[in-house]
Amino acid sequence: MGKYIIKRILIAIPVLIGITVIDYAIMCMAGSPLEMLQGPRVSEAAVEARKIALGLDKPFYIQYFVWLGQLLHGNMGYSIKSYLPVSEMIGSHLGPTLLLMGVSLLVSLLMAVPAGIYSAVHQYSKGDYAVVTFSFLGSSIPGFFLSLLLIYVFTVKLGWLPSSGMTTLGTEGGFLDVARHMVMPVLVLATSMAGSNIRYIRSAVLEILQQDYLRTARAKGIGRFKVINKHALRNALVPIVTVIGMEIPVLFGGAVIIEQVFSWPGLGLMTMSAISSRDYPVIMGVCLLSAVVVLAANLVTDILYALVDPTIQLD
């Protein structure tokens, strides 16, 4: 296991470098951040001086290697807009994003696993059709549309839940206050993930239920609950783990839009602000973090395969 992990990390390094090269190239093609400064109050000489100070007058590949060299020394650069260290900005916004993602992932699993098992066990029943219909609706409704719908119902009409921020302005917050602010964004993210996961779990459990060893277990008189939740679910976990591993990067990207809609003070809101102002260092810092999250999620998924199924050997 240790050799496999080291091997995967060594393979991930060139992949990570390739991702940063592509991201930096696309970012440079989008335009210079100094274009946002141009105007009647700012002279061309001032813009040119700023361009030289930031190193934006150099070719793309030189700019990239300068950024990479700083990164290897533990410096992710400084924001062009706020002049704050990028690492400090990411650190201050990472906590709310991880909280939102973690709770959303947990809620989606609590929704998807029981619903997927129930749908598979009661195949072609009314309950099965209801669960499958919900899964299609959950995965088909755009997140921003569901967000606006929830805001209209629970904030505008009923006045039950706050529609923006992480805590109520003018208060110290607290667990209950944060929980109230999390209800709608968590529900939007969890509904989208659960909609996709239910179908995968249903398919995996259906395939396992048709295996001969489960028929033998039933013939031996083992209880229905034990057959389904111990034998069937355990062997269906490999495809389920795959789905969860793929959901983590999707969740990380989907949080950008949801955080923007609900003004959640996480990485998504910071990223959208950086993109609108073409803040190169912040954009590259977030892209680097996203790439690390994707590669780490793939590695953790492979390790979980061996834990879930002892027959899988990682060489």
Side-chain angles (χ1 to χ4, degrees):
M1 180 70 75
K3 292 182 180 179
Y4 175 79
I5 294 175
I6 294 174
K7 179 181 177 182
R8 286 295 302 270
I9 292 175
L10 293 176
I11 294 175
I13 292 175
V15 174
L16 190 61
I17 294 175
I19 293 173
T20 58
V21 171
I22 296 174
D23 288 341
Y24 206 95
I26 295 175
M27 185 178 62
C28 289
M29 288 188 293
S32 171
L34 299 180
E35 294 177 3
M36 312 297 291
L37 299 177
Q38 293 179 351
R41 296 185 179 181
V42 182
S43 64
E44 292 185 4
V47 174
E48 189 65 25
R50 181 68 173 160
K51 183 177 182 180
I52 295 173
L54 294 174
L56 299 177
D57 58 325
K58 298 180 177 63
F60 149 72
Y61 58 91
I62 295 180
Q63 294 183 43
Y64 172 76
F65 282 115
V66 169
W67 173 83
L68 184 61
Q70 292 178 346
L71 180 65
L72 294 177
H73 286 86
N75 179 17
M76 300 180 71
Y78 292 84
S79 169
I80 297 175
K81 183 179 179 181
S82 64
Y83 305 103
L84 294 173
V86 174
S87 57
E88 182 180 312
M89 294 177 63
I90 292 177
S92 62
H93 290 80
L94 183 60
T97 294
L98 291 179
L99 176 63
L100 183 63
M101 289 174 53
V103 175
S104 300
L105 182 61
L106 179 61
V107 172
S108 70
L109 292 177
L110 292 176
M111 295 167 59
V113 173
I117 295 175
Y118 175 85
S119 181
V121 174
H122 300 85
Q123 188 180 18
Y124 302 131
S125 66
K126 292 182 179 179
D128 178 30
Y129 290 128
V131 171
V132 172
T133 301
F134 168 78
S135 70
F136 278 111
L137 287 176
S139 58
S140 301
I141 298 177
F144 70 90
F145 177 79
L146 182 58
S147 300
L148 296 176
L149 182 63
L150 292 178
I151 291 173
Y152 177 76
V153 174
F154 293 105
T155 302
V156 178
K157 288 296 184 180
L158 300 176
W160 290 353
L161 297 172
S163 63
S164 63
M166 186 175 176
T167 56
T168 303
L169 293 177
T171 66
E172 297 181 356
F175 175 78
L176 293 178
D177 190 32
V178 174
R180 290 181 68 247
H181 284 79
M182 288 182 62
V183 170
M184 288 195 289
V186 166
L187 186 60
V188 172
L189 290 173
T191 299
S192 177
M193 287 188 296
S196 302
N197 292 342
I198 285 174
R199 298 200 303 274
Y200 286 110
I201 295 172
R202 178 181 183 275
S203 177
V205 175
L206 277 176
E207 183 178 352
I208 296 298
L209 289 176
Q210 297 173 0
Q211 299 297 320
D212 292 336
Y213 69 88
L214 281 185
R215 296 173 186 155
T216 303
R218 292 195 197 96
K220 289 181 177 180
I222 298 177
R224 177 186 176 88
F225 180 85
K226 195 171 183 180
V227 169
I228 295 174
N229 293 280
K230 183 178 179 180
H231 298 280
L233 183 59
R234 176 67 185 271
N235 290 279
L237 281 178
V238 172
I240 294 174
V241 167
T242 304
V243 172
I244 296 174
M246 292 188 301
E247 287 289 353
I248 294 176
V250 174
L251 179 61
F252 196 84
V256 173
I257 299 175
I258 303 305
E259 288 182 8
Q260 181 73 10
V261 174
F262 290 100
S263 298
W264 187 263
L267 288 175
L269 193 62
M270 185 188 73
T271 302
M272 294 301 293
S273 176
I275 292 174
S276 62
S277 60
R278 297 180 185 174
D279 198 341
Y280 281 11
V282 177
I283 296 173
M284 284 304 301
V286 174
C287 289
L288 178 64
L289 179 62
S290 302
V292 171
V293 168
V294 173
L295 295 174
N298 291 335
L299 177 59
V300 171
T301 301
D302 289 343
I303 295 174
L304 289 177
Y305 285 157
L307 298 178
V308 171
D309 188 353
T311 63
I312 296 178
Q313 299 293 327
L314 301 177
D315 298 322

